[in-house]
Amino acid sequence: MRAPVSVLPLAFTGALAAFLLLPRVQQQPRVFWSFAAACAVLLAWNLILLATRAPRLRSGQARRRPLTIDVVLRKQHYLQACAQGSVLLYWGWSWRPVYDHAYIIVAQLLFAYAFDMLLAWSRRDQYTLGFGPFPVVFSINLFLWFRDDWLFLQFLLVAVGFMAKELLTWEKNGRRAHIFNPSSFPLAAAAVVLLATGTSDITWGKQIATTQFYPPNMYLWLFAIGLPGQFFFGVTSMTMSAVVATYLAGLAYYAFTGVYFFYDSYIPIAVFLGMHLLFTDPSTSPRTELGRIIFGALYGLSTMLLYVVLGRAGLPTFYDKLLQVPVLNLSIKLIDRAAQSQWLTYLNPARLGTSLVGQRRHLAYIAVWLLAFSAISLANGLGDRHPGQWLPFWQTACEAERPYACDYLAQREGELCDQGSGWACNEYGLLQRERDVDGPGSEPAFTRGCEIGFAAACLNASRLRQGEVRLVTTGPTLDDLPIVLRGSKGPMGGRSPESLYAEACRQGWSGACQRATVAIR
């Protein structure tokens, strides 16, 4: 379909401007001005474009080339958008801020359509209209939000993504194509700037990375919603190799150290999400089968490397899944050349099952991935019950002097103390005193535990002030259990004493199984 539609960006700009009438926007001055600035930029660009495209008299005749659209609904775009949208909906069911953020996502979509049209028409006469902006906006919002005071940067992220797609191109397979994934490029660029300026606190990045694990069976959900795209576009090998490489490296690390590389999981949920819905854009991936396997393995292993580098530098580690994607996009031609070299011929899976082509071959990869995912899940490598979530594992590891165990245990107990567990405050104080781990000192922890109402913490605070050496420890109370048993999941509300003690028993808490038996009786 072709028709002059030069005012269409104005319609999207007008729809975006309507958000200025919302009470929640008007009540927050910086949010209001972020919307106003986005609308102003689009409106000015609209007017400039219309003025430069106005009819001009030449030889007594009005001439101009009309702006047109082609409506093309690409399966790659709407399938990806459906998968990402389902993650947002499922995640928001367990963490309300996602739903509160929904109006900002809608606003970004309106901005994206207007910006993309204006950018395309500023360079040529034709724009391809479809679902393209959806996966870009959804993907950005699955990994990074800016806080309300900095909301204008969210619109800037979207703009950078579309500019990178339009302007940064190369020759690939005989045609011009964008080099970078249009959502991962702005995410990586933002990560670099935020790390360099030490301003990660203006984002929700840390909360996003942790709360995506709140919904039950989130690994299974991501596995399932990734299957349609894997079937149609043959990206299973990338996801599978990323997951398997990371898991095997994690197993090796555990065998060597006795603790888990990512502490509470073999593959953090946000990284697992990136392995399904961030770096797997077929347009910015290798085209050979072996190349895609190498590409996926490099993504998984580079995530682990970045996690170490960022952690040791004292920087936020949630960028570990974002920073490397543009570099990998730049390397796809090199990866394909390596995959086609004689040195790697014996590793090339294209030699196997040569009668399987097209979607039949995609199904074969999915079958292998299903077996791998099931095996890893049954081994507790993926899922809701990884032992690294639970404090008893880290208490045992700390007593055994395993690497980083006491430091991580202290960190977790400090977090649980901040969440209102008097027992955790008391244990945090004891650990600081006995193990000399980093922290504010024992007395503030005991004082905080006493304020919460934990008797042992009050006693230890008193003894510490009197210079006594002998301090006491007791088990968590029933009030502590909903806090200390949650692991990496969301708050545990409305649980009966019986179910709490049963859960404590499953996690390996000392004496919990006996209490669970008594409670049930």
Side-chain angles (χ1 to χ4, degrees):
M1 181 184 83
R2 291 180 179 270
V5 286
S6 56
V7 296
L8 190 56
L10 279 173
F12 283 105
T13 304
L16 180 62
F19 281 78
L20 295 170
L21 303 177
L22 291 176
R24 67 191 306 174
V25 173
Q26 294 180 342
Q27 291 165 5
Q28 303 177 80
R30 293 198 177 185
V31 172
F32 180 88
W33 288 112
S34 293
F35 274 91
C39 291
V41 169
L42 293 176
L43 179 60
W45 197 352
N46 269 282
L47 296 177
I48 293 171
L49 183 65
L50 290 175
T52 56
R53 290 285 181 168
R56 297 178 181 178
L57 292 177
R58 295 180 180 176
S59 303
Q61 295 182 352
R63 292 182 179 179
R64 68 171 179 175
R65 296 180 63 183
L67 300 174
T68 61
I69 63 169
D70 277 348
V71 178
V72 180
L73 306 181
R74 293 192 174 98
K75 188 178 294 184
Q76 175 182 339
H77 292 156
Y78 63 75
L79 280 181
Q80 186 86 335
C82 288
Q84 294 164 336
S86 72
V87 175
L88 289 166
L89 289 171
Y90 189 48
W91 172 28
W93 188 260
S94 297
W95 194 52
R96 180 70 191 188
V98 179
Y99 291 168
D100 295 336
H101 184 72
Y103 81 101
I104 295 177
I105 296 178
V106 175
Q108 290 171 75
L109 283 170
L110 295 172
F111 176 84
Y113 271 103
F115 188 94
D116 194 26
M117 286 182 192
L118 292 168
L119 181 60
W121 280 337
S122 295
R123 292 170 54 79
R124 54 188 176 274
D125 301 316
Q126 180 183 340
Y127 173 71
T128 302
L129 178 66
F131 290 100
F134 275 83
V136 177
V137 171
F138 282 1
S139 184
I140 288 173
N141 284 269
L142 280 170
F143 295 97
L144 194 66
W145 312 340
F146 284 91
R147 296 185 182 274
D148 289 346
D149 286 350
W150 301 88
L151 183 59
F152 68 94
L153 294 175
Q154 199 76 33
F155 292 110
L156 181 60
L157 276 186
V158 175
V160 169
F162 283 100
M163 286 191 294
K165 181 180 179 182
E166 180 71 26
L167 303 176
L168 303 178
T169 62
W170 60 7
E171 193 77 19
K172 182 185 178 186
N173 300 332
R175 64 182 182 86
R176 297 302 296 179
H178 53 278
I179 301 172
F180 301 107
N181 182 311
S183 56
S184 63
F185 181 83
L187 287 169
V192 170
V193 173
L194 291 166
L195 286 169
T197 56
T199 54
S200 295
D201 58 342
I202 70 173
T203 76
W204 288 83
K206 182 177 180 180
Q207 292 85 347
I208 289 171
T210 55
T211 60
Q212 284 173 345
F213 191 51
Y214 283 7
N217 302 308
M218 191 58 160
Y219 287 97
L220 180 59
W221 182 271
L222 293 176
F223 171 81
I225 59 99
L227 293 178
Q230 292 168 3
F231 172 72
F232 286 107
F233 310 117
V235 296
T236 313
S237 54
M238 290 189 282
T239 295
M240 178 172 62
S241 61
V243 172
V244 171
T246 307
Y247 176 64
L248 292 178
L251 277 180
Y253 183 86
Y254 178 78
F256 183 72
T257 65
V259 295
Y260 301 106
F261 182 85
F262 288 110
Y263 295 109
D264 64 347
S265 60
Y266 277 106
I267 304 174
I269 194 65
V271 173
F272 194 73
L273 174 61
M275 291 172 172
H276 282 76
L277 298 178
L278 181 63
F279 89 109
T280 52
D281 176 12
S283 300
T284 55
S285 308
R287 60 184 180 85
T288 61
E289 284 189 43
L290 180 57
R292 291 191 170 194
I293 291 173
I294 295 172
F295 189 72
L298 287 175
Y299 178 76
L301 298 177
S302 63
T303 299
M304 300 181 78
L305 176 62
L306 284 168
Y307 184 82
V308 172
V309 171
L310 293 171
R312 291 188 176 177
L315 298 171
T317 56
F318 60 82
Y319 298 114
D320 57 358
K321 58 197 169 291
L322 306 178
L323 289 165
Q324 72 273 49
V325 181
V327 178
L328 290 173
N329 292 154
L330 278 172
S331 69
I332 62 173
K333 293 183 179 181
L334 179 62
I335 291 174
D336 271 335
R337 282 199 295 270
Q340 293 171 320
S341 68
Q342 61 178 355
W343 303 102
L344 297 180
T345 301
Y346 66 96
L347 292 177
N348 191 352
R351 300 186 308 152
L352 305 174
T354 54
S355 62
L356 296 173
V357 295
Q359 292 179 348
R360 290 178 62 198
R361 194 164 190 85
H362 299 171
L363 276 176
Y365 271 106
I366 288 174
V368 176
W369 171 221
L370 174 61
L371 291 174
F373 176 81
S374 300
I376 297 172
S377 299
L378 289 172
N380 268 340
L382 300 169
D384 289 353
R385 303 207 58 85
H386 188 277
Q389 295 182 70
W390 320 130
L391 286 184
F393 172 85
W394 292 103
Q395 290 171 329
T396 302
C398 179
E399 291 170 0
E401 304 286 350
R402 292 174 185 165
Y404 311 114
C406 292
D407 287 335
Y408 183 70
L409 177 61
Q411 175 190 323
R412 288 294 297 133
E413 288 175 346
E415 292 169 350
L416 296 172
C417 176
D418 291 338
Q419 292 168 19
S421 169
W423 173 86
C425 295
N426 189 58
E427 293 299 307
Y428 185 35
L430 291 171
L431 191 60
Q432 286 181 306
R433 186 168 178 81
E434 295 170 4
R435 298 279 181 172
D436 195 30
V437 296
D438 292 336
S442 298
E443 187 170 355
F446 292 142
T447 301
R448 169 63 176 152
C450 184
E451 290 171 351
I452 294 172
F454 194 71
C458 297
L459 180 58
N460 285 336
S462 175
R463 289 184 174 182
L464 199 64
R465 285 191 292 269
Q466 295 171 10
E468 292 190 33
V469 176
R470 191 165 52 90
L471 302 178
V472 298
T473 179
T474 61
T477 67
L478 192 58
D479 291 335
D480 291 299
L481 291 183
I483 301 172
V484 301
L485 296 181
R486 61 182 287 188
S488 301
K489 288 291 188 180
M492 299 174 64
R495 300 284 292 269
S496 66
E498 293 84 358
S499 66
L500 289 172
Y501 283 125
E503 176 61 27
C505 177
R506 284 191 292 270
Q507 292 184 16
W509 287 82
S510 177
C513 296
Q514 293 87 339
R515 292 190 181 186
T517 303
V518 172
I520 293 172
R521 289 177 181 174

